[in-house]
Amino acid sequence: NWLALPLIILIIGARQHALGLLAHDAVHRLAFRNRTLNMIVAEVFIAWPLFIVLKNGYQPWHFDHDRGLGSDHDPEIDYRGGRPYSGRVTWRKIMRCFVLDLMGCGSLDLLNFMRLILPYKHFVMLLGPIAMWLTAVALLSHFNALWILALWTASELTAFWAVFRIRAWTEHVSVPLAGKESSHRFDAGPIARFFFFPHHTYCHYEHHKWPQIPYYNLPELRKLDTSKPVLCLRELFPIA
């Protein structure tokens, strides 16, 4: 039903985002104790389907972000230091950006983000995902199911990035540079967690203070640290 397509794309994009967050834990070597298995599973079953390479790509970029948080050496500043993150941040501005992203207007920003995390010095790392996608296209074409690829790609270019960007707003935007303290600390309800903050990613403040703790233990860790108040999600920014 074409009338259900927007909701379908939103749900797929939200689940793509949830997959990406599992890859994030794997980047921190928290998915499997065996590092080789940890990286292979994350690459083949999560990163490559999302058109991303972890080893020599996203992984070193993300580690630089963790080390440089709260300083001018944070590589995330390259994409959240300008529009639309600059200027006064309000929920009206965030929702307007969210709707535009759902319409595909943020696709260029997504492609720019992917450009930042390409394994430029190790282009051989692209052979795996290229081979995987060529195989997928051949199989889907054989079974007259290329619509699956179209739906998956459309979801990533729209809803995935829209959801991703909501999370980005609530992590470090409009927080003064202060080292590991340069993160918002907040809680979110069940609907917001499903669409925007799965796998306890609302505990991003705790993640940056203790990056070697797996996501499923972060809520318990939060109970032990009262150094910074936990706000409601709506309290992070003014409405308008």
Side-chain angles (χ1 to χ4, degrees):
N1 190 324
W2 288 96
L3 294 177
L5 190 58
L7 177 60
I8 291 170
I9 286 178
L10 176 58
I11 292 175
I12 293 175
R15 296 302 87 201
Q16 288 173 328
H17 175 246
L19 277 175
L21 290 173
L22 291 179
H24 166 265
D25 254 39
V27 160
H28 282 276
R29 307 182 181 98
L30 299 174
F32 297 93
R33 292 184 179 181
N34 184 293
R35 290 193 175 189
T36 301
L37 180 63
N38 181 88
M39 189 57 65
I40 290 176
V41 171
E43 291 276 23
V44 176
F45 295 102
I46 300 177
W48 293 358
L50 293 176
F51 307 102
I52 293 172
V53 173
L54 299 179
K55 188 173 178 61
N56 299 312
Y58 174 77
Q59 187 178 50
W61 181 90
H62 181 70
F63 282 169
D64 286 344
H65 162 63
D66 281 347
R67 286 190 292 263
L69 180 66
S71 73
D72 293 333
H73 302 291
D74 183 355
E76 265 201 15
I77 294 176
D78 289 343
Y79 81 87
R80 63 175 170 81
R83 296 181 61 185
Y85 305 104
S86 57
R88 185 169 181 265
V89 179
T90 65
W91 279 114
R92 179 179 295 179
K93 178 180 180 180
I94 292 172
M95 288 302 103
R96 183 172 65 248
C97 184
F98 176 69
V99 171
L100 290 173
D101 285 342
L102 285 178
M103 298 169 60
C105 298
S107 298
L108 290 179
D109 289 342
L110 170 59
L111 294 176
N112 181 55
F113 171 71
M114 289 181 167
R115 179 187 61 82
L116 291 175
I117 59 176
L118 273 177
Y120 286 102
K121 296 181 180 179
H122 303 85
F123 267 101
V124 68
M125 301 300 299
L126 295 176
L127 295 179
I130 289 173
M132 186 209 74
W133 274 109
L134 288 176
T135 302
V137 169
L139 288 173
L140 291 173
S141 178
H142 175 75
F143 291 105
N144 296 316
L146 283 175
W147 63 269
I148 294 177
L149 175 60
L151 185 59
W152 179 264
T153 305
S155 298
E156 184 163 0
L157 290 173
T158 56
F160 166 83
W161 186 241
V163 170
F164 182 103
R165 183 126 61 183
I166 288 287
R167 179 175 57 80
W169 287 104
T170 61
E171 288 183 349
H172 309 296
V173 176
S174 295
V175 181
L177 298 181
K180 297 300 182 182
E181 300 290 325
S182 306
S183 304
H184 290 292
R185 198 179 198 197
F186 66 94
D187 202 354
I191 295 177
R193 292 184 188 185
F194 175 82
F195 282 103
F196 307 111
F197 310 107
H199 309 312
H200 305 310
T201 190
Y202 59 91
C203 295
H204 200 66
Y205 172 87
E206 287 77 15
H207 164 69
H208 272 288
K209 292 192 72 174
W210 298 281
Q212 293 308 312
I213 300 297
Y215 77 86
Y216 46 82
N217 284 333
L218 291 178
E220 292 300 318
L221 186 62
R222 167 172 284 188
K223 296 177 184 178
L224 303 177
D225 178 17
T226 59
S227 60
K228 185 175 181 177
V230 179
L231 303 178
C232 293
L233 181 59
R234 64 178 180 274
E235 294 179 309
L236 297 187
F237 309 106
I239 298 298

